[in-house]
Amino acid sequence: METKQPSMNYFHLPSASRSTAPSWNFPLGVPGFRYADLNRVRRLMALDQAFRAELAAADLDLATRYEAARVANTADTELLIEVARHVDRFLAKLFHIEAAVDAMNGRTREDNVVFRCKKEFLDKRVLKPHPTADELAGMNIAELEFAYREVVAATIPGTELTADPERELAEVSMRLLDEQTEAKGTAPDELSEQRYQNLARIAAWVRALAFHPELAQRRRGYSSFVLPEKLDYEDLVPRVFGRTSLPMAFEGPTDTRRFRDGFALTDERMTPREALREMHYCIICHPRDKDSCSHGFPEGTDKFKSNPLGIEMTGCPLDEKISEAHLLKRECHGVGALAMIMVDNPLCAGTGHRICNDCMKGCIFQKQTPVNIPQIETSILTEVLNLPYGFEIYALLSRWNPLNLRRPYPLAYNGKRVLVVGMGPAGYTLAHHLLNEGFGVVGIDGLKVEALSVRMRGSKRRVPQPIENINDVSGPLDQRTILGFGGVSEYGITVRWDKNFLDVNYLVLMRRKKFALYDGVRFGGTITLEDAWQLGFDHVAICAGAGRPTLPTMKNNLARGVRLASDFLMGLQATGIYRKDSLGNLQVQLPAVVIGGGLTAIDTATELQAYYVVQVEKTLDRYERLIGKISEAAIREKMDDEEWHMLSRWLTHGRAIRAERSAAAAAGRPPNFNRLIRAWGGVTLAYRKSLQDSPAYRLNHEEVIKALEEGILFAEGLSPVECVSDEYGHVKALRCEEQKLDNGKWHSTGNVVELPARSIMIAAGTHPNVVYERERPGTFQLDEKREFYRGHRLVRIGNRRQLVAAP
């Protein structure tokens, strides 16, 4: 989401006096409704009736079909799309934001011409084939642009589109193309010949703009120049080999390198226009029941086809209505598109870009670049959140959604209470669905979760403060208050994802009247299963996620400097030590090696590298302040040789970082810390097999690309066997055996490779968290391998329903 002016401690605002709270209960745009009604089940039922009445007034035939679908609890998606077109108008009226919604949809309408031009003109006549070297050499850029500007001046004189050259290009091209189409079949005249020549001038300039190396900087903002590429599943990640000292290692191309500085959001995501390009690339295949992005590629009754990497193409695990949402957004119904997404994914702020990509894996395009569905979902959500009261629209749609025929509004409280153990993505999503089904829910989490003020969450008889501007509850990630809610989404996922979205879901859940959250509660310690029954809970749902890490078999794995990757990420994220004002204690040294090939290893490598820069800068700053009060000799006396050598190294590196900052500021460029990091040994990922075998590549190769863009080195075919210590007992190297593929299996060659390493992070996978059963055997059933809790399903036996163990 867009974050401009962050508020300080935005979730910890002091409780407002009771006299101010009534002013927040403002009247809504639908007669008889006020803001407080949006979190009351009976009033949501009434709001649902008001929407249905307005739908009937606008389109009686549609309303009649919709009412029949509500009774049958089923509908084809075309009916839902028709109804969704009315959601924008209703919600805009409800929150008095008609002008803002019209403006949002108007921007989509204006951008649609860009992709109509791409489809009808650029892709067909201009961008293919790629120009030859001779054609590029023969281009006179100045003459081609001058001729193009003449066409623009003659076609749309006095244009105000020069600040948006891509849309200007589209408007001019489509006007000429439409005029040419209208004149088709008539006798050729001077005017038609002029149109033909003008289109040729445009095409000539665009080919230069799209392909000439001297115009690379100018074409970067043109979404319409992007063409799909053929997929080679064995070569999804661009790689550059050539290290003589480590021939099995590779890095990313230098021209794709990103200069990261600190812990702000590392991926600003697509612009609305870029996301709209992906929506126009989507072929809208739900009318033909080919929307494999939602439903996968079934093969028989209970299996799915696999892609060349062996990954089953199951599509979205939520069966989200993806194609339908794309169509609605293309038709300029942005709020309706979000409502369509939220039918099956009501807490979609927790998914999307840099979180999940099963939909992309299942896209109908299997031989070329797939539609970037996660980017689209996040863009649709972000545009709505940035509306006035956009958060309130999202929160309302999580409770009341007329497109959700099965549960359009929450059920009244049924008297049953459920204890949800763990407030990670599974736990908080389950809590939300249980609340909508009428249950009372208590969530517990073993970690610290910051409480929300009454002002933000409301209370039984107190209206929460309406959030008109999303920037009031969001801010830059490097200044964000760490709330602790969301489990792995808070502590395991790095700043590649905007954690403001996590705070949005936290606030949505905490405003539910039948939900309570208790932190610092360990299931099996603070509270047991027997305690839960005695406290009156009717059901306990365990959503505890992963547990025991996998440790590779290697000597000396307890040496100082060796650490679990999950422990490192937790220490980094939970303490906020990457901030300049943090006094937390987390030390890393370079060179560093991360063992593993999954997404945790990828995240650990990028964050360790970024944190090292912060660490040495903070060390230098504090050292300089300290020697202003006591002498350097006094500091040296308090340290042993190892500590002094480490400090001296950090001070040297800190001064180099400071110098690079000064040089970059003087040159007007971003600082390039990667050059320094590499000189100090860098960060290397060591994986026992090939890149193509790694979980990160097979499940989400885009994350590998992003890591290489930050300068991470990846070494294949290295199996760790020993951590080598220095004279102080601190790790100084990682000894590995080189592996080779032989007859489909990996075998050790006997060659030993030693990687310099002052820090070693282990990210070799985890096991499910079944610690309660291990501590209290016989409480729960485990699967045959005793790795997972055995799954159960509800089946009807005679006149009764009961749980039976899943096969």
Side-chain angles (χ1 to χ4, degrees), residues 355-386:
I355 292 291
C356 51
N357 71 342
D358 299 81
C359 50
M360 280 184 73
K361 294 293 184 185
C363 177
I364 196 70
F365 295 124
Q366 289 291 306
K367 295 184 178 181
Q368 65 186 45
T369 309
V371 178
N372 200 322
I373 300 162
Q375 287 269 20
I376 296 172
E377 178 186 296
T378 299
S379 178
I380 290 172
L381 170 65
T382 301
E383 284 199 81
V384 173
L385 286 176
N386 282 319

Side-chain angles (χ1 to χ4, degrees), residues 105-122 156 161 164-178 224 273 276-277 280 330 332:
N105 291 334
R107 289 189 293 270
T108 304
R109 190 175 298 110
E110 292 171 351
D111 280 347
N112 274 333
V113 69
V114 172
F115 301 106
R116 181 179 167 228
C117 174
K118 175 177 173 61
K119 180 180 179 181
E120 299 180 16
F121 181 58
L122 299 183
I156 47 176
L161 295 174
D164 188 350
E166 184 175 28
R167 188 170 153 228
E168 177 190 74
L169 167 64
E171 294 280 4
V172 172
S173 302
M174 294 318 299
R175 184 170 299 188
L176 291 172
L177 201 62
D178 288 343
S224 51
R273 179 176 292 175
L276 189 61
R277 176 197 68 215
H280 279 273
R330 277 167 42 168
C332 309

Side-chain angles (χ1 to χ4, degrees), residues 616 620 623-624 648 650-660:
V616 297
L620 176 61
Y623 177 79
E624 290 178 339
S648 299
W650 287 353
L651 294 178
T652 301
H653 293 176
R655 294 184 183 102
I657 293 293
R658 183 181 290 175
E660 171 59 18

Side-chain angles (χ1 to χ4, degrees), residues 86-126:
H86 293 265
V87 171
D88 290 64
R89 174 183 50 80
F90 183 80
L91 287 178
K93 174 184 175 183
L94 185 69
F95 288 99
H96 308 284
I97 57 169
E98 292 92 335
V101 172
D102 287 345
M104 177 186 71
N105 291 334
R107 289 189 293 270
T108 304
R109 190 175 298 110
E110 292 171 351
D111 280 347
N112 274 333
V113 69
V114 172
F115 301 106
R116 181 179 167 228
C117 174
K118 175 177 173 61
K119 180 180 179 181
E120 299 180 16
F121 181 58
L122 299 183
D123 287 352
K124 290 182 177 180
R125 306 189 186 188
V126 181

Side-chain angles (χ1 to χ4, degrees), residues 550-609:
T550 301
L551 296 176
T553 302
M554 60 181 181
K555 298 178 182 179
N556 200 24
N557 60 9
L558 294 180
R560 287 189 296 114
V562 181
R563 192 166 188 165
L564 294 174
S566 56
D567 179 47
F568 166 76
L569 290 175
M570 174 74 77
L572 182 71
Q573 305 290 333
T575 63
I577 195 169
Y578 48 81
R579 294 178 181 171
K580 291 184 178 180
D581 59 352
S582 171
L583 295 175
N585 182 22
L586 178 64
Q587 296 181 356
V588 295
Q589 298 189 57
L590 294 180
V593 175
V594 180
I595 299 172
L599 294 178
T600 299
I602 292 287
D603 282 344
T604 302
T606 58
E607 302 316 285
L608 189 155
Q609 179 170 278

Side-chain angles (χ1 to χ4, degrees), residues 347-535:
L347 296 181
C348 61
T351 58
H353 180 50
R354 303 302 291 270
I355 292 291
C356 51
N357 71 342
D358 299 81
C359 50
M360 280 184 73
K361 294 293 184 185
C363 177
I364 196 70
F365 295 124
Q366 289 291 306
K367 295 184 178 181
Q368 65 186 45
T369 309
V371 178
N372 200 322
I373 300 162
Q375 287 269 20
I376 296 172
E377 178 186 296
T378 299
S379 178
I380 290 172
L381 170 65
T382 301
E383 284 199 81
V384 173
L385 286 176
N386 282 319
L387 290 170
Y389 297 107
F391 168 83
E392 302 296 346
I393 291 175
Y394 172 77
L396 175 59
L397 286 172
S398 72
R399 300 187 298 273
W400 169 75
N401 189 339
L403 307 184
N404 186 348
L405 302 185
R406 191 191 69 82
R407 188 65 66 231
Y409 48 79
L411 298 180
Y413 179 50
N414 58 24
K416 301 290 186 181
R417 294 185 292 175
V418 180
L419 178 66
V420 178
V421 179
M423 280 290 103
Y428 73 68
T429 303
L430 175 62
H432 168 81
H433 285 290
L434 288 171
L435 290 164
N436 279 0
E437 294 298 317
F439 293 91
V441 180
V442 172
I444 60 173
D445 199 281
L447 299 174
K448 172 65 177 174
V449 181
E450 295 293 336
L452 303 185
S453 66
V454 175
R455 179 175 178 177
M456 298 306 296
R457 72 174 189 272
S459 62
K460 187 174 183 180
R461 293 184 177 84
R462 196 156 175 193
V463 179
Q465 179 180 354
I467 297 172
E468 182 176 359
N469 189 332
I470 191 62
N471 292 314
D472 291 339
V473 292
S474 62
L477 294 190
D478 53 359
Q479 301 176 29
R480 168 180 170 269
T481 300
I482 299 168
L483 299 178
F485 173 82
V488 67
S489 295
E490 178 72 282
Y491 298 122
I493 295 175
T494 66
V495 290
R496 59 183 166 86
W497 179 61
D498 190 347
K499 294 185 182 181
N500 287 295
F501 290 131
L502 184 61
D503 298 343
V504 165
N505 279 348
Y506 182 31
L507 187 52
V508 165
L509 193 60
M510 291 303 297
R511 287 187 169 189
R512 301 297 294 268
K513 294 184 181 300
K514 295 298 181 182
F515 177 76
L517 173 60
Y518 296 92
D519 64 343
V521 178
R522 178 179 176 267
F523 187 61
T526 315
I527 183 173
T528 65
L529 187 61
E530 291 73 20
D531 294 332
W533 304 141
Q534 292 176 8
L535 289 169

